[in-house]
Amino acid sequence: DNVLVGTDPDSAESKALRKAIATVLAVYRDAAYDSYYGEAASVINYPISNTSWAAPQATDEGYKVAFSVDVDGKDIYNSKMTTDEKYAAALQAAIGYFKAAGFTFDEASGKLTAAPEGARLSYEALIGADGTGDHPSFAVLTDASAALATIGFELKINDLTDTSVMWDMLDANSQDIWCAAWQATIDPDMYQVYHSSGIVGRNGSDSNHYHIDDPTLDQLIVDARKSDDQSYRKAIYRQALDLIADWAVEVPAYQRQNSTVFSAERINVKSITPDITTFWGWLKEIEKVKMK
């Protein structure tokens, strides 16, 4: 509702604007999260836990790296590209999306010179990085901001020392772009975050801060809730995830890997849950743990 062209957030032009920004943000994820987390996190390309049974896998048909195609649907990257070549390709793809959104682009200067009605040449990104840049996604924003500035587009970074300011803005529907993380439940139900009833002010979950209002997506979410067939639900959720990607309101970021440390001097390690997973921790079988 806030990052759009004209008055229709579902228009092709509005989606093109958001895809322009998202494409540049997405290309800087690998370097940023590797620098911040090392091997303790991995980039995800769909807004779902990559250890969930419903998560698309790289071997699945149609699997795509997030925001890796241009305005014509062609792949932006190839395996022979260097990192810098990927950055340049992402920026060129973004220009294509900006043009499709109705922005005026001066070929001579290589810069955007005017925004269409309802859109702007400047947007704000909120991030709670303690005012010091201490956040996994801060480097994504800074690198994307620098790249976009070279084509005349401003991505202003608001590094908040008090994250309650961001949540207040989300509740007031006054945010442009924002960064946040959350934990996923064992069941990948999308109702709370993506169903239109969850848009702030509709007396629902108030958790749909993306403001996606899509009857087709709503129906997919409801259909998936009614079944206990995992194969069916996974197929339905895949359709839902592809719809969310097309709205271009969310750039999937990373998933952390949790580690659990035990003292082998105090604990009989053979008594600890042998198959710890994302959703089944050692506390699930704490009654089996034996002290030495």
Side-chain angles (χ1 to χ4, degrees):
D1 288 338
N2 296 343
V3 185
L4 78 169
V5 175
T7 58
D8 181 9
D10 190 22
S11 70
E13 291 79 11
S14 292
K15 290 178 178 178
L17 164 58
R18 296 192 293 266
K19 287 174 182 177
I21 301 170
T23 297
V24 179
L25 289 170
V27 76
Y28 290 106
R29 295 175 304 160
D30 288 314
Y33 302 136
D34 183 63
S35 174
Y36 195 93
Y37 278 119
E39 296 181 358
S42 57
V43 171
I44 57 175
N45 290 306
Y46 292 85
I48 187 172
S49 167
N50 61 5
T51 51
S52 169
W53 55 263
Q57 301 299 318
T59 53
D60 292 348
E61 183 179 353
Y63 180 95
K64 286 284 186 185
V65 171
F67 302 104
S68 63
V69 298
D70 63 18
V71 70
D72 297 318
K74 297 178 181 178
D75 289 337
I76 300 171
Y77 315 112
N78 63 60
S79 59
K80 296 180 180 180
M81 283 183 170
T82 65
T83 300
D84 286 340
E85 286 172 340
K86 288 183 178 180
Y87 295 158
L91 196 59
Q92 286 303 307
I95 291 171
Y97 279 119
F98 278 125
K99 289 179 179 178
F103 282 71
T104 303
F105 183 76
D106 180 54
E107 299 290 347
S109 64
K111 293 183 181 293
L112 300 166
T113 57
E117 183 180 356
R120 311 191 298 269
L121 283 169
S122 177
Y123 288 89
E124 180 184 57
L126 305 168
I127 185 168
D130 297 327
T132 62
D134 186 14
H135 189 287
S137 293
F138 190 76
V140 174
L141 291 181
T142 53
D143 289 342
S145 178
L148 288 165
T150 64
I151 60 169
F153 187 89
E154 182 182 42
L155 181 63
K156 295 185 293 185
I157 303 171
N158 188 351
D159 183 357
L160 302 165
T161 55
D162 181 3
T163 54
S164 66
V165 172
M166 182 180 77
W167 296 111
D168 287 344
M169 290 181 69
L170 263 62
D171 289 338
N173 302 329
S174 61
Q175 76 281 10
D176 288 337
I177 299 166
W178 51 287
C179 301
W182 51 83
Q183 290 185 328
T185 59
I186 192 169
D187 188 272
D189 184 14
M190 297 181 181
Y191 192 91
Q192 182 177 358
V193 176
Y194 298 104
H195 194 275
S196 63
S197 65
I199 293 175
V200 177
R202 295 192 180 181
N203 299 316
S205 68
D206 284 348
S207 295
N208 183 351
H209 295 296
Y210 307 117
H211 289 221
I212 297 180
D213 191 347
D214 188 327
T216 303
L217 179 60
D218 285 351
Q219 191 60 53
L220 288 170
I221 292 171
V222 171
D223 288 346
R225 293 187 115 199
K226 293 178 179 178
S227 175
D228 60 1
D229 183 331
Q230 281 195 352
S231 297
Y232 170 78
R233 293 184 73 200
K234 181 172 181 175
I236 295 297
Y237 281 138
R238 175 58 190 274
Q239 293 179 52
L241 291 168
D242 286 341
L243 267 181
I244 293 166
D246 185 56
W247 274 85
V249 291
E250 180 177 17
V251 178
Y254 61 89
Q255 178 165 321
R256 291 193 307 249
Q257 294 185 33
N258 292 334
S259 60
T260 307
V261 182
F262 303 96
S263 170
E265 293 183 2
R266 298 185 178 90
I267 301 293
N268 178 351
V269 293
K270 291 184 179 179
S271 68
I272 298 169
T273 308
D275 298 310
I276 293 175
T277 70
T278 307
F279 303 108
W280 191 265
W282 69 278
L283 283 170
K284 294 285 188 180
E285 299 181 23
I286 191 173
E287 74 280 2
K288 297 180 180 179
V289 176
K290 296 179 181 178
M291 302 292 290
K292 282 188 174 180

